[in-house]
Amino acid sequence: GSIPGRSGPSVWSLHNQNVTHNSSLYKKPFEESFEETPLLVAVLTYMGYGILTIFGYLRDFLRHWSIEKCQVAREKEEQKDFVPLYQDFENFYTRNLYMRIRDNWNRPICSVPGAKMDLVESVSHDFNWTFEHTGRVVKDVINMGSYNYLGFAENNGACADAAIEATEKYGVGVASSRCEMGNLDIHEELERLVARFLGVESSMAFGMGFATNSMNIPALTGKGCLILSDELNHASLVLGARLAGSTIRVFKHNNMQSLEKLLRDAIAHGQPRTHRPWKKILIVVEGIYSMEGSIVRLPEVVALKKRYKAYLYLDEAHSIGALGPNGRGVVDYFGLDPKDVDIMMGTFTKSFGAAGGYIGGKKELIDYLRCHSHSALYAISMSPPVAQQIISSMKSIMGEDGTTLGADRLRQLSENTTYFRRKLREMGFIIYGNDDSPVVPMMLYMPAKIGAFGREMLKRNIGTVVVGFPATPIIESRARFCVSAAHTREMLDTALEATDEVGDLLQLKYSRREQPLPSLGWMAEESLLQD
Amino acid sequence: MTSQFKIATFYLYRMRQSWTTYLKELLEIVHYFYFAPAYHLILEGILILWIIRLLFSKTYKLHETYKLTEKEKEDLIEEWQPDPLVPPVSKDHPSLSYDVVTGHKITINGKECINFASFNFLGLLDNERVKQKALASLKKYGVGTCGPRGFYGTFDVHLELESRLAKFMKTEEAIIYSYGFATIASAIPAYSKRGDIIFVDEAACFSIQKGLQASRSFIKYFKHNDMEDLERMLKEQELEDQKNPRKARVTRKFIVVEGLYINTADICPLPELVTLKYKYKVRIFLEESMSFGVLGEHGRGVTEHFGVNIDDIDLISANMENAVASIGGFCCGRSFVIDHQRLSGQGYCFSASLPPMLAAAAIEALNIMEEDPEIFTVLRGKCKHVHKALQGIPGLKLVGVQSAPALHLQLERSSGSRDSDMQLLRTIVEYCLERRVALTLARYLEKEERFLPSPSIRVVVTVEQTEEDVHNAVSCIQEAASAVLK
């Protein structure tokens, strides 16, 4: 194109390691980018880890010979000759790298985890081995870390009032499982509502999102079945697949060619060694991958699943409520039919401000799960006020509470996401993921910058989340922002200013792309889409 | 001196000579190459290249000697038919028609009944103080925590609950989980990995079984509460270890038992287990979901019941869903053991934290337990009373010890098939439901349980039940039993 300030090779050549092959399946352009790590940065990062490892060995040596005081907890005297509970090397990383920067995690808060929060001030006098609370509270820290996409984390308003009523009527606990004496009418109301929200025949709710995956995948597949799971699936999906006892094969992240190859090979060759045909093939993907900020290529996955007669398990933990014009998740975002997804799973923790998980699908599926899910028979059912919170927030999103608050929130989230991502890109940071995803990972790479970024942002009264190894590959540590509908434009501007400052201070602006001129802003985006 | 000088000069001369010989030999080799016949050189060159190729080529896989053509693949893909996603469920499967329970004075299907089925041992589900504290917390924090513990999901309420639990149980540290089932199921795999050995009681509950499965260790089951069987297995293991001391030095060994078994309603012999622990150097993990808040003078569980030093137990795990009447679970023990779960407990690191109002409810429940230890004596008295009253019902036998608050009523004579047994028991339960006594069948996943318990009716004792309630219930069950089990 002939856009001013944009000569030379197209910017898109630096984009997209996963190229969209069937663009006819997509109703709107699918913009994802994972800019490559600059070579110098990679080298420096490895060097950084190397130096830290050498120092780690040195410190371990000093601790072993009691030159340095050892503050790691020790096994008790009577059990000294038992087999050691932990191998020394397992904890090498924890002792020597994680300990140094662990004040960036587990920060206690003492208010609603809304757009602004109050942190409990804690200091460490012995380099992060122990913390003590000073008794002071750091007020009004802008919260860029909590999964509060639609801003339902509130202690006042219609949802809170309904939850108060539910507590007074039902109490807090249930003390029995769904199958025995723990089935309340509020659970049935919730399940009917969730089924309507998703557009499926029937649904079932569980008390914990993690447990929804780890207890229901084993009920659906077993020996003789094949599970094809994405490289970057969440720990709960991996655990559920392992507990199922099926064969697990992993395809490259969001890569449809890799998935298709696995499907073809699996069906053609059958089970390993016996070559019997597989009983079932289950493709497990997530809606939004929270560490990458990428959105699953759902139209292509659904096309593949139909062609090869596989079943699709979609985990919408982060995308339900956060994507799509009506907030119905990634299926709504792509304009697909919910009946194409065999098992729609999601959690209520993120967009609904509550806790728990759900599975939605055909009536036969849900009836089967009611009788055979580990959770229905052995685990406690959902707490009533939590269920009520979900009911009120879901009704608000659907517009059934008689106001337009739900639609407002959805619109605000979408605007905030686009604005925030665009601004960060313009400043020159490397941002991963899809342009529409409210999870914004920003690359830091070097281990020292992980700690520095977290601390510097806190000094400027912004609470951010930083992640490193082992949640991410070793050189790709990142800071992760979660945009919320509760953030106002001023809050986002404050956060962006602070990020800009810290970015300059720590030299985090690695992006080597040509940036559109700031004044063009929206116009540049529009014309790129038509390119 | 001169002889040494002579020897030295002799060797120096030899060295100089050897240099020249080497040079001469080198020249000879070059001469040879230049004048050798061509085919000789070519042959040797080929041999060298062949050796290099063999060194770098991949190993030959025997079972992939065939390759499918594209057409064959297409045909296979066309022909393949998967099983339906779920097998059909019969219409009258018990789980499909739940009793719809509203409120807590247990209104089932519109009828108000006395609750003998929920694990509400201390009657805290309806307690006003607990509700008020939960409401206060709701008004301050909202409902959800919107994040895992590591990312702004740690509230001061959680930290308070953990320190209160540690203080109550008199251990160094406690860690809380947001779901009771996930507690022991995440704790076991955090310590025990592939290659380690776990000795488990046969009657272990389902969440322990899932934890064992996730850990990928060697699992050895010993007969329920049979210390001799366990000792025999430990001795065998010791012999194995002596044969292979190197492997034994890195193989961790654990014993996993429950304080009060949910499936058999009896108590584990803890003092003998502790002696076995020190004798054979195995660690003990104790699951106290049913005994926390029930056994012991102050409700501290089976360690207080037997007077065992709590530091001798490596890990105590319990859920807060029974006596404490909230949601969630906790593990407590020495810091050396518990702190590890903060980075490797899957249900802790990768899951949202417990909603603060539920944590506040648990703290208030702990307050009530601490203020009024009489409540445990009252509960024990009621358990004894119910235990006596349920003996001698014709056709049904009572399974469980005197101090267990959750008992089982099994059929004295089984009809031979599990389904018909379940049907008989269900008829008894429905009969009682008609007369406003809420009971339930103990439910299990038949295909997944390792040692499936026999069908039974679960009877739960709570402090809120009066003598009249108990008398009513027992006569109801007796009538039902005589009517149904002719």
Side-chain angles (χ1 to χ4, degrees):
Chain A
S2 53
I3 306 164
R6 192 172 285 282
S7 56
S10 161
V11 171
W12 302 117
S13 60
L14 282 174
H15 265 228
N16 264 341
Q17 290 147 2
N18 326 321
V19 181
T20 313
H21 274 214
N22 306 326
S23 21
S24 57
L25 292 169
Y26 292 83
K27 298 194 175 71
K28 54 181 173 177
F30 188 81
E31 321 287 346
E32 258 189 11
S33 77
F34 301 93
E35 197 178 320
E36 256 184 65
T37 314
L39 183 61
L40 179 62
V41 175
V43 168
L44 287 174
T45 313
Y46 280 123
M47 267 175 56
Y49 276 107
I51 295 173
L52 280 169
T53 317
I54 295 173
F55 269 91
Y57 280 122
L58 177 66
R59 300 291 284 274
D60 275 348
F61 177 76
L62 293 176
R63 274 191 278 262
H64 183 70
W65 290 102
S66 309
I67 301 173
E68 186 184 324
K69 188 170 83 158
C70 182
Q71 282 151 328
V72 188
R74 285 286 170 83
E75 178 66 282
K76 68 176 188 166
E77 274 313 308
E78 298 93 331
Q79 293 184 209
K80 274 277 190 250
D81 52 350
F82 280 43
V83 176
L85 192 54
Y86 316 116
Q87 284 169 340
D88 264 345
F89 191 71
E90 255 171 50
N91 289 354
F92 179 85
Y93 181 81
T94 315
R95 268 198 314 273
N96 297 310
L97 277 76
Y98 172 75
M99 270 306 173
R100 290 162 170 263
I101 48 173
R102 79 171 178 149
D103 56 307
N104 288 307
W105 294 286
N106 297 306
R107 289 183 178 151
I109 87 176
C110 52
S111 74
V112 183
K116 284 201 176 166
M117 58 184 175
D118 299 335
L119 288 182
V120 175
E121 200 184 25
S122 52
V123 289
S124 174
H125 299 293
D126 50 4
F127 303 106
N128 289 348
W129 286 100
T130 57
F131 290 96
E132 53 175 60
H133 301 315
T134 58
R136 280 191 295 271
V137 167
V138 183
K139 286 202 148 294
D140 290 334
V141 175
I142 296 182
N143 185 355
M144 302 298 297
S146 288
Y147 303 136
N148 182 19
Y149 301 132
L150 291 179
F152 277 111
E154 298 169 327
N155 57 0
N156 51 27
C159 298
D161 291 335
I164 290 175
E165 261 180 58
T167 315
E168 282 167 355
K169 181 176 176 198
Y170 294 97
V172 164
V174 187
S176 192
S177 61
R178 277 308 279 279
C179 265
E180 294 192 6
M181 204 44 80
N183 187 36
L184 305 175
D185 55 348
I186 201 172
H187 295 141
E188 305 228 328
E189 192 192 330
L190 172 62
E191 288 173 358
R192 280 193 295 268
L193 182 63
V194 170
R196 230 161 15 97
F197 181 77
L198 297 171
V200 291
E201 279 176 29
S202 167
S203 83
M204 184 169 178
F206 304 92
M208 184 197 198
F210 185 98
T212 309
N213 279 330
S214 64
M215 297 208 254
N216 288 306
I217 298 183
L220 294 170
T221 59
K223 278 205 175 4
C225 303
L226 176 66
I227 295 183
L228 295 173
S229 109
D230 189 292
E231 230 180 349
L232 299 179
N233 268 342
H234 189 253
S236 57
L237 292 166
V238 174
L239 181 63
R242 270 208 303 131
L243 289 176
S246 316
T247 313
I248 307 174
R249 300 219 174 120
V250 171
F251 61 91
K252 294 201 185 60
H253 177 58
N254 233 0
N255 189 324
M256 297 299 112
Q257 289 78 38
S258 171
L259 176 58
E260 182 159 17
K261 179 170 188 305
L262 279 182
L263 276 167
R264 289 181 75 84
D265 284 344
I267 302 178
H269 292 291
Q271 297 186 28
R273 291 196 320 205
T274 56
H275 295 292
R276 285 205 200 103
W278 294 103
K279 290 198 195 140
K280 290 181 233 182
I281 298 186
L282 186 69
I283 305 175
V284 179
V285 287
E286 288 188 42
I288 293 184
Y289 292 90
S290 60
M291 282 301 158
E292 300 283 308
S294 52
I295 299 182
V296 67
R297 292 169 181 277
L298 197 60
E300 291 179 68
V301 176
V302 168
L304 279 175
K305 146 192 135 64
K306 283 184 176 159
R307 173 135 190 333
Y308 294 100
K309 294 173 276 204
Y311 299 112
L312 179 58
Y313 186 105
L314 178 64
D315 177 341
E316 292 206 79
H318 285 268
S319 53
I320 191 73
L323 281 186
N326 301 313
R328 312 291 165 106
V330 75
V331 169
D332 190 29
Y333 175 74
F334 286 112
L336 299 172
D337 184 3
K339 297 194 179 24
D340 283 337
V341 179
D342 301 288
I343 306 150
M344 291 181 73
M345 177 266 169
T347 63
F348 298 119
T349 332
K350 281 98 188 180
S351 304
F352 301 95
Y358 67 85
I359 289 196
K362 291 204 167 52
K363 189 167 180 317
E364 297 91 59
L365 169 70
I366 302 299
D367 283 345
Y368 179 82
L369 284 179
R370 281 194 212 283
C371 310
H372 293 95
S373 159
H374 302 183
S375 169
L377 291 189
Y378 293 106
I380 215 89
S381 38
M382 201 187 269
S383 167
V386 172
Q388 183 58 52
Q389 161 80 13
I390 303 167
I391 293 176
S392 358
S393 54
M394 207 175 260
K395 283 198 173 145
S396 172
I397 298 177
M398 288 164 84
E400 288 182 8
D401 60 340
T403 66
T404 53
L405 284 175
D408 289 341
R409 286 182 202 265
L410 291 168
R411 203 187 43 244
Q412 185 71 35
L413 175 64
S414 161
E415 276 175 20
N416 284 356
T417 308
T418 330
Y419 178 71
F420 196 72
R421 276 182 169 266
R422 182 169 54 89
K423 279 289 184 185
L424 281 179
R425 278 243 165 77
E426 277 172 14
M427 287 179 198
F429 295 104
I430 295 186
I431 308 288
Y432 271 14
N434 193 300
D435 281 349
D436 287 320
S437 115
V439 177
V440 188
M442 187 180 94
M443 301 312 286
L444 300 172
Y445 297 115
M446 297 181 202
K449 295 190 186 181
I450 307 175
F453 187 80
R455 289 173 194 147
E456 288 293 320
M457 291 299 274
L458 189 60
K459 272 192 216 157
R460 292 164 177 73
N461 239 20
I462 313 232
T464 52
V465 158
V466 287
V467 264
F469 185 78
T472 61
I474 191 145
I475 60 165
E476 290 177 18
S477 13
R478 56 201 74 174
R480 195 179 65 174
F481 297 100
C482 290
V483 182
S484 160
H487 287 135
T488 59
R489 196 46 83 93
E490 293 80 46
M491 288 186 215
L492 287 181
D493 283 333
T494 326
L496 285 164
E497 234 179 82
T499 317
D500 199 13
E501 239 180 270
V502 175
D504 284 328
L505 181 66
L506 298 177
Q507 299 197 14
L508 292 173
K509 301 188 176 175
Y510 300 119
S511 183
R512 289 173 307 173
R513 289 203 229 139
E514 293 164 17
Q515 300 303 330
L517 299 173
S519 57
L520 289 176
W522 275 108
M523 225 172 76
E525 292 244 327
E526 290 293 333
S527 30
L528 277 175
L529 291 176
Q530 287 154 16
D531 222 9
Chain B
M1 194 44 188
T2 43
S3 58
Q4 283 168 340
F5 185 65
K6 271 191 197 161
I7 295 169
T9 40
F10 174 71
Y11 276 116
L12 276 171
Y13 180 67
R14 270 285 299 273
M15 263 170 56
R16 225 196 65 193
Q17 261 211 332
S18 42
W19 277 114
T20 43
T21 1
Y22 287 148
L23 218 53
K24 274 201 193 136
E25 283 180 17
L26 215 59
L27 282 172
E28 265 185 46
I29 291 171
V30 175
H31 188 259
Y32 168 77
F33 265 120
Y34 193 63
F35 285 104
Y39 69 88
H40 213 171
L41 288 172
I42 292 172
L43 197 63
E44 293 195 3
I46 291 175
L47 279 171
I48 291 173
L49 285 171
W50 189 256
I51 292 172
I52 293 174
R53 181 176 168 273
L54 280 176
L55 280 172
F56 285 107
S57 67
K58 286 194 183 146
T59 46
Y60 181 70
K61 287 202 180 97
L62 280 170
H63 64 265
E64 274 185 23
T65 45
Y66 65 92
K67 273 231 168 263
L68 295 172
T69 63
E70 274 312 305
K71 175 155 190 320
E72 284 174 345
K73 268 195 183 170
E74 280 302 323
D75 284 340
L76 283 166
I77 292 171
E78 282 304 312
E79 279 170 17
W80 180 67
Q81 284 299 331
D83 284 354
L85 180 56
V86 287
V89 179
S90 69
K91 284 268 177 312
D92 49 278
H93 196 285
S95 303
L96 285 183
S97 47
Y98 288 110
D99 311 309
V100 179
V101 183
T102 53
H104 273 304
K105 255 336 167 185
I106 9 68
T107 312
I108 301 183
N109 290 335
K111 252 201 276 283
E112 208 186 75
C113 313
I114 306 295
N115 195 347
F116 280 86
S118 304
F119 295 124
N120 182 17
F121 306 138
L122 300 178
L124 291 174
L125 280 181
D126 294 318
N127 190 297
E128 264 315 302
R129 274 173 62 179
V130 170
K131 273 193 205 177
Q132 287 308 319
K133 274 282 157 55
L135 283 174
S137 171
L138 171 55
K139 289 179 189 146
K140 183 175 176 197
Y141 298 106
V143 177
T145 54
C146 298
R149 286 292 289 259
F151 304 153
Y152 303 108
T154 304
F155 284 53
D156 44 357
V157 199
H158 297 135
L159 298 174
E160 198 191 326
L161 178 58
E162 285 181 356
S163 72
R164 288 295 302 278
L165 281 166
K167 218 167 69 181
F168 181 76
M169 293 294 282
K170 299 206 173 127
T171 57
E172 277 176 16
E173 201 175 327
I175 179 175
I176 53 179
Y177 284 81
S178 56
Y179 207 45
F181 189 99
T183 311
I184 190 69
S186 305
I188 296 178
Y191 300 100
S192 183
K193 313 274 180 194
R194 209 191 277 269
D196 295 333
I197 304 176
I198 309 185
F199 299 93
V200 192
D201 192 298
E202 275 180 1
C205 66
F206 197 72
S207 42
I208 294 182
Q209 289 175 33
K210 286 294 131 186
L212 297 173
Q213 197 185 350
S215 73
R216 295 198 257 216
S217 317
F218 292 117
I219 315 294
K220 298 189 161 101
Y221 289 92
F222 61 89
K223 294 199 190 43
H224 177 54
N225 271 353
D226 188 345
M227 291 298 105
E228 280 154 13
D229 197 32
L230 175 59
E231 184 149 17
R232 177 188 58 83
M233 285 183 148
L234 286 167
K235 275 209 179 73
E236 272 172 27
Q237 187 56 43
E238 206 179 24
L239 289 171
E240 285 279 330
D241 287 346
Q242 282 164 2
K243 280 187 215 150
N244 197 343
R246 207 186 228 189
K247 187 167 143 194
R249 247 194 310 235
V250 289
T251 309
R252 295 172 278 244
K253 296 187 267 295
F254 302 96
I255 298 179
V256 179
V257 283
E258 286 182 51
L260 190 66
Y261 288 90
I262 189 171
N263 290 339
T264 56
D266 54 5
I267 305 180
C268 73
L270 199 57
E272 285 104 354
L273 280 166
V274 175
T275 18
L276 284 175
K277 163 184 169 160
Y278 285 108
K279 189 168 168 198
Y280 294 96
K281 312 219 186 311
V282 275
R283 297 195 156 93
I284 300 186
F285 285 175
L286 186 61
E287 220 277 323
E288 288 223 72
S289 294
M290 299 295 276
S291 51
F292 180 74
V294 172
L295 294 179
E297 205 189 305
H298 295 101
R300 296 201 177 98
V302 75
T303 46
E304 205 184 17
H305 181 83
F306 284 114
V308 167
N309 181 0
I310 201 153
D311 277 340
D312 282 335
I313 311 294
D314 294 278
L315 180 86
I316 296 183
S317 144
N319 67 25
M320 301 192 286
E321 294 160 357
N322 299 336
V324 181
S326 178
I327 307 259
F330 69 93
C331 288
C332 61
R334 301 189 307 279
S335 284
F336 173 70
V337 181
I338 298 296
D339 209 40
H340 181 68
Q341 280 179 57
R342 292 198 195 271
L343 284 178
S344 41
Q346 290 224 316
Y348 181 85
C349 301
F350 296 112
S351 171
S353 47
L354 184 66
M357 59 185 292
L358 301 173
I363 295 178
E364 191 58 22
L366 269 182
N367 284 343
I368 295 177
M369 281 163 67
E370 282 181 352
E371 283 166 19
D372 182 28
E374 277 307 302
I375 201 174
F376 303 112
T377 332
V378 171
L379 179 62
R380 261 193 296 280
K382 291 206 195 257
C383 290
K384 203 157 139 188
H385 178 70
V386 173
H387 192 264
K388 206 162 93 185
L390 284 174
Q391 304 271 20
I393 298 185
L396 294 175
K397 70 174 178 215
L398 182 65
V399 173
V401 299
Q402 233 181 40
S403 34
L407 305 159
H408 290 268
L409 280 171
Q410 290 178 0
L411 286 172
E412 243 171 28
R413 258 174 322 123
S414 162
S415 69
S417 100
R418 193 185 170 88
D419 280 333
S420 51
D421 284 350
M422 296 273 279
Q423 192 50 46
L424 285 169
L425 290 170
R426 194 170 313 131
T427 334
I428 298 181
V429 167
E430 280 168 12
Y431 187 96
C432 294
L433 218 57
E434 286 285 310
R435 283 151 191 71
R436 299 170 185 274
V437 172
L439 292 170
T440 181
L441 280 175
R443 305 298 307 276
Y444 306 103
L445 270 174
E446 272 119 39
K447 296 203 182 67
E448 308 271 337
E449 286 264 9
R450 213 178 163 85
F451 300 97
L452 187 58
S454 323
S456 65
I457 297 177
R458 214 194 279 284
V459 181
V460 177
V461 183
T462 74
V463 288
E464 291 196 329
Q465 292 156 358
T466 62
E467 275 205 29
E468 198 192 317
D469 292 328
V470 175
H471 180 76
N472 222 358
V474 174
S475 45
C476 227
I477 300 175
Q478 260 173 338
E479 276 171 37
S482 45
V484 172
L485 307 164
K486 286 191 240 336

